[in-house]
Amino acid sequence: MKKELRIKKNQDFQTVFQKGRSFANRQFVVYCLEKEGQADFRIGLSVSKKLGNAVTRNQIKRYIRQAIFELKEQLALGNDYVIIARKPAADMDFFEVKNSLAHVLKVGKVLKKNL
């Protein structure tokens, strides 16, 4: 994922948390904030140390990035998304992560229905 498409600054994370809306399932919490004048979407990831060691956390982040890459055609543009992984995400493979993320994004009505 390109660097322009990532949220890195703490202030940007806090803005999405405070002003955005959230939706969740058992594996992920997604905060979404609409940004005026932003051509593309941006993604921020949060994976707690409670989920496992560095290898496990990095694997979860790779899975999420790849799932977003594959779902980017259906994802609403002009938004900032912060994705927080919950405990069950540590035991999932890539296809389960992708399906779970697609589900939670549909719940939040930011993913088009046709998969």
Side-chain angles (χ1 to χ4, degrees):
M1 195 179 311
K2 295 178 188 168
K3 289 208 176 194
E4 310 84 71
L5 301 180
R6 293 192 191 172
I7 300 173
K8 286 293 208 180
K9 294 189 170 143
N10 185 37
Q11 185 60 45
D12 293 341
F13 274 94
Q14 295 306 320
T15 303
V16 175
F17 288 142
Q18 291 166 3
K19 297 183 180 173
R21 57 192 178 97
S22 68
F23 28 94
N25 63 7
R26 292 188 61 131
Q27 295 85 14
F28 298 102
V29 179
V30 178
Y31 286 84
C32 175
L33 177 65
E34 292 183 29
K35 302 276 278 207
E36 295 295 325
Q38 185 170 294
D40 224 338
F41 61 85
R42 295 191 312 162
I43 300 289
L45 301 178
S46 175
V47 181
S48 171
K49 285 188 177 182
K50 294 177 185 176
L51 268 60
N53 61 11
V55 174
T56 305
R57 294 193 309 269
N58 288 332
Q59 183 181 42
I60 294 168
K61 289 189 269 189
R62 280 197 310 273
Y63 286 168
I64 293 171
R65 281 191 207 107
Q66 184 62 31
I68 293 296
F69 179 77
E70 292 183 12
L71 295 170
K72 71 179 178 182
E73 300 301 321
Q74 290 106 17
L75 206 55
L77 298 176
N79 292 342
D80 280 355
Y81 301 100
V82 174
I83 301 170
I84 302 171
R86 288 181 167 170
K87 194 80 168 163
D91 302 324
M92 298 168 67
D93 65 11
F94 169 70
F95 297 104
E96 292 171 326
V97 168
K98 182 179 174 186
N99 290 335
S100 180
L101 267 178
H103 171 262
V104 76
L105 291 170
K106 282 182 192 173
V107 167
K109 296 180 176 66
V110 293
L111 191 72
K112 299 181 185 110
K113 299 278 188 229
N114 57 352
L115 257 178

